PDB file of all heavy atoms in Angstrom:
ATOM      1  N   VAL A  25     -72.576 -17.058 -88.694  1.00  0.00           N
ATOM      2  CA  VAL A  25     -73.257 -15.931 -88.057  1.00  0.00           C
ATOM      3  C   VAL A  25     -74.320 -15.375 -88.995  1.00  0.00           C
ATOM      4  O   VAL A  25     -74.029 -15.027 -90.144  1.00  0.00           O
ATOM      5  CB  VAL A  25     -72.255 -14.807 -87.700  1.00  0.00           C
ATOM      6  CG1 VAL A  25     -72.983 -13.660 -86.997  1.00  0.00           C
ATOM      7  CG2 VAL A  25     -71.135 -15.342 -86.819  1.00  0.00           C
ATOM      8  N   VAL A  29     -80.227 -11.016 -92.038  1.00  0.00           N
ATOM      9  CA  VAL A  29     -80.448 -11.574 -93.376  1.00  0.00           C
ATOM     10  C   VAL A  29     -81.907 -11.378 -93.775  1.00  0.00           C
ATOM     11  O   VAL A  29     -82.823 -11.764 -93.053  1.00  0.00           O
ATOM     12  CB  VAL A  29     -80.095 -13.069 -93.413  1.00  0.00           C
ATOM     13  CG1 VAL A  29     -80.340 -13.628 -94.815  1.00  0.00           C
ATOM     14  CG2 VAL A  29     -78.643 -13.283 -93.004  1.00  0.00           C
ATOM     15  N   GLY A  40     -90.216 -11.250 -88.601  1.00  0.00           N
ATOM     16  CA  GLY A  40     -90.838 -11.402 -89.902  1.00  0.00           C
ATOM     17  C   GLY A  40     -92.125 -12.193 -89.912  1.00  0.00           C
ATOM     18  O   GLY A  40     -92.796 -12.282 -90.929  1.00  0.00           O
ATOM     19  N   LEU A  64     -73.334  -4.091 -81.014  1.00  0.00           N
ATOM     20  CA  LEU A  64     -73.256  -5.362 -80.311  1.00  0.00           C
ATOM     21  C   LEU A  64     -72.322  -6.334 -81.029  1.00  0.00           C
ATOM     22  O   LEU A  64     -71.558  -7.065 -80.395  1.00  0.00           O
ATOM     23  CB  LEU A  64     -74.645  -5.974 -80.174  1.00  0.00           C
ATOM     24  CG  LEU A  64     -75.563  -5.315 -79.138  1.00  0.00           C
ATOM     25  CD1 LEU A  64     -76.995  -5.799 -79.298  1.00  0.00           C
ATOM     26  CD2 LEU A  64     -75.058  -5.590 -77.728  1.00  0.00           C
ATOM     27  N   GLU A 107     -58.154 -12.349 -91.390  1.00  0.00           N
ATOM     28  CA  GLU A 107     -58.100 -13.225 -92.557  1.00  0.00           C
ATOM     29  C   GLU A 107     -59.027 -14.435 -92.439  1.00  0.00           C
ATOM     30  O   GLU A 107     -59.384 -15.048 -93.447  1.00  0.00           O
ATOM     31  CB  GLU A 107     -56.669 -13.706 -92.790  1.00  0.00           C
ATOM     32  CG  GLU A 107     -56.064 -14.497 -91.647  1.00  0.00           C
ATOM     33  CD  GLU A 107     -54.605 -14.816 -91.877  1.00  0.00           C
ATOM     34  OE1 GLU A 107     -53.880 -13.927 -92.368  1.00  0.00           O
ATOM     35  OE2 GLU A 107     -54.206 -15.946 -91.571  1.00  0.00           O
ATOM     36  N   GLN A 118     -82.532 -16.098-102.506  1.00  0.00           N
ATOM     37  CA  GLN A 118     -81.748 -17.294-102.215  1.00  0.00           C
ATOM     38  C   GLN A 118     -82.173 -17.962-100.914  1.00  0.00           C
ATOM     39  O   GLN A 118     -82.680 -17.314 -99.985  1.00  0.00           O
ATOM     40  CB  GLN A 118     -80.256 -16.946-102.134  1.00  0.00           C
ATOM     41  CG  GLN A 118     -79.625 -16.545-103.445  1.00  0.00           C
ATOM     42  CD  GLN A 118     -78.146 -16.209-103.280  1.00  0.00           C
ATOM     43  OE1 GLN A 118     -77.788 -15.251-102.606  1.00  0.00           O
ATOM     44  NE2 GLN A 118     -77.292 -17.016-103.890  1.00  0.00           N
ATOM     45  N   LYS A 122     -78.949 -23.073 -98.231  1.00  0.00           N
ATOM     46  CA  LYS A 122     -78.211 -23.506 -99.434  1.00  0.00           C
ATOM     47  C   LYS A 122     -76.962 -22.656 -99.622  1.00  0.00           C
ATOM     48  O   LYS A 122     -75.887 -23.184 -99.981  1.00  0.00           O
ATOM     49  CB  LYS A 122     -79.114 -23.385-100.656  1.00  0.00           C
ATOM     50  CG  LYS A 122     -78.477 -23.872-101.958  1.00  0.00           C
ATOM     51  CD  LYS A 122     -78.162 -25.361-101.903  1.00  0.00           C
ATOM     52  CE  LYS A 122     -77.848 -25.934-103.280  1.00  0.00           C
ATOM     53  NZ  LYS A 122     -76.673 -25.346-103.930  1.00  0.00           N
ATOM     54  N   GLY A 130     -66.935 -24.727-100.502  1.00  0.00           N
ATOM     55  CA  GLY A 130     -65.780 -24.024-101.046  1.00  0.00           C
ATOM     56  C   GLY A 130     -64.650 -23.886-100.045  1.00  0.00           C
ATOM     57  O   GLY A 130     -63.472 -24.074-100.380  1.00  0.00           O
ATOM     58  N   GLU A 131     -64.992 -23.573 -98.792  1.00  0.00           N
ATOM     59  CA  GLU A 131     -63.972 -23.411 -97.760  1.00  0.00           C
ATOM     60  C   GLU A 131     -63.310 -24.745 -97.416  1.00  0.00           C
ATOM     61  O   GLU A 131     -62.098 -24.818 -97.198  1.00  0.00           O
ATOM     62  CB  GLU A 131     -64.577 -22.792 -96.498  1.00  0.00           C
ATOM     63  CG  GLU A 131     -65.051 -21.354 -96.675  1.00  0.00           C
ATOM     64  CD  GLU A 131     -63.909 -20.419 -97.001  1.00  0.00           C
ATOM     65  OE1 GLU A 131     -62.827 -20.548 -96.409  1.00  0.00           O
ATOM     66  OE2 GLU A 131     -64.102 -19.544 -97.869  1.00  0.00           O
ATOM     67  N   GLY A 133     -62.908 -27.254 -99.380  1.00  0.00           N
ATOM     68  CA  GLY A 133     -62.023 -27.641-100.480  1.00  0.00           C
ATOM     69  C   GLY A 133     -60.641 -27.038-100.369  1.00  0.00           C
ATOM     70  O   GLY A 133     -59.657 -27.594-100.895  1.00  0.00           O
ATOM     71  N   SER A 143     -69.771 -27.202 -87.288  1.00  0.00           N
ATOM     72  CA  SER A 143     -70.450 -25.973 -87.684  1.00  0.00           C
ATOM     73  C   SER A 143     -71.222 -25.477 -86.464  1.00  0.00           C
ATOM     74  O   SER A 143     -71.843 -26.261 -85.746  1.00  0.00           O
ATOM     75  CB  SER A 143     -71.383 -26.207 -88.876  1.00  0.00           C
ATOM     76  OG  SER A 143     -72.364 -27.181 -88.580  1.00  0.00           O
ATOM     77  N   LYS A 290     -62.587   0.668 -77.531  1.00  0.00           N
ATOM     78  CA  LYS A 290     -61.947   1.308 -78.673  1.00  0.00           C
ATOM     79  C   LYS A 290     -61.007   0.348 -79.390  1.00  0.00           C
ATOM     80  O   LYS A 290     -60.796   0.440 -80.587  1.00  0.00           O
ATOM     81  CB  LYS A 290     -61.162   2.534 -78.210  1.00  0.00           C
ATOM     82  CG  LYS A 290     -62.036   3.673 -77.707  1.00  0.00           C
ATOM     83  CD  LYS A 290     -61.192   4.836 -77.240  1.00  0.00           C
ATOM     84  CE  LYS A 290     -62.063   5.975 -76.711  1.00  0.00           C
ATOM     85  NZ  LYS A 290     -61.254   7.093 -76.192  1.00  0.00           N
ATOM     86  N   ASN A 304     -50.515 -11.496 -64.416  1.00  0.00           N
ATOM     87  CA  ASN A 304     -51.872 -10.965 -64.560  1.00  0.00           C
ATOM     88  C   ASN A 304     -51.875  -9.434 -64.649  1.00  0.00           C
ATOM     89  O   ASN A 304     -52.771  -8.755 -64.171  1.00  0.00           O
ATOM     90  CB  ASN A 304     -52.760 -11.420 -63.396  1.00  0.00           C
ATOM     91  CG  ASN A 304     -54.233 -11.428 -63.781  1.00  0.00           C
ATOM     92  OD1 ASN A 304     -54.578 -11.669 -64.938  1.00  0.00           O
ATOM     93  ND2 ASN A 304     -55.102 -11.156 -62.827  1.00  0.00           N
ATOM     94  N   SER A 313     -39.665   8.024 -70.674  1.00  0.00           N
ATOM     95  CA  SER A 313     -38.396   7.337 -70.423  1.00  0.00           C
ATOM     96  C   SER A 313     -38.060   6.285 -71.472  1.00  0.00           C
ATOM     97  O   SER A 313     -37.025   5.627 -71.378  1.00  0.00           O
ATOM     98  CB  SER A 313     -38.429   6.668 -69.048  1.00  0.00           C
ATOM     99  OG  SER A 313     -39.457   5.690 -69.001  1.00  0.00           O
ATOM    100  N   GLU A 368     -35.195  -2.295 -87.111  1.00  0.00           N
ATOM    101  CA  GLU A 368     -35.884  -3.571 -86.994  1.00  0.00           C
ATOM    102  C   GLU A 368     -36.978  -3.471 -85.925  1.00  0.00           C
ATOM    103  O   GLU A 368     -36.758  -2.951 -84.845  1.00  0.00           O
ATOM    104  CB  GLU A 368     -34.883  -4.678 -86.601  1.00  0.00           C
ATOM    105  CG  GLU A 368     -33.820  -4.953 -87.653  1.00  0.00           C
ATOM    106  CD  GLU A 368     -34.406  -5.505 -88.936  1.00  0.00           C
ATOM    107  OE1 GLU A 368     -35.398  -6.234 -88.858  1.00  0.00           O
ATOM    108  OE2 GLU A 368     -33.886  -5.178 -90.009  1.00  0.00           O
TER     109      GLU A 368
END
Side-chain angles (χ1 to χ4, degrees):
V25 182
V29 180
L64 286 168
E107 60 186 41
Q118 292 180 295
K122 183 63 166 62
E131 293 297 319
S143 59
K290 292 179 181 177
N304 205 31
S313 62
E368 295 295 327

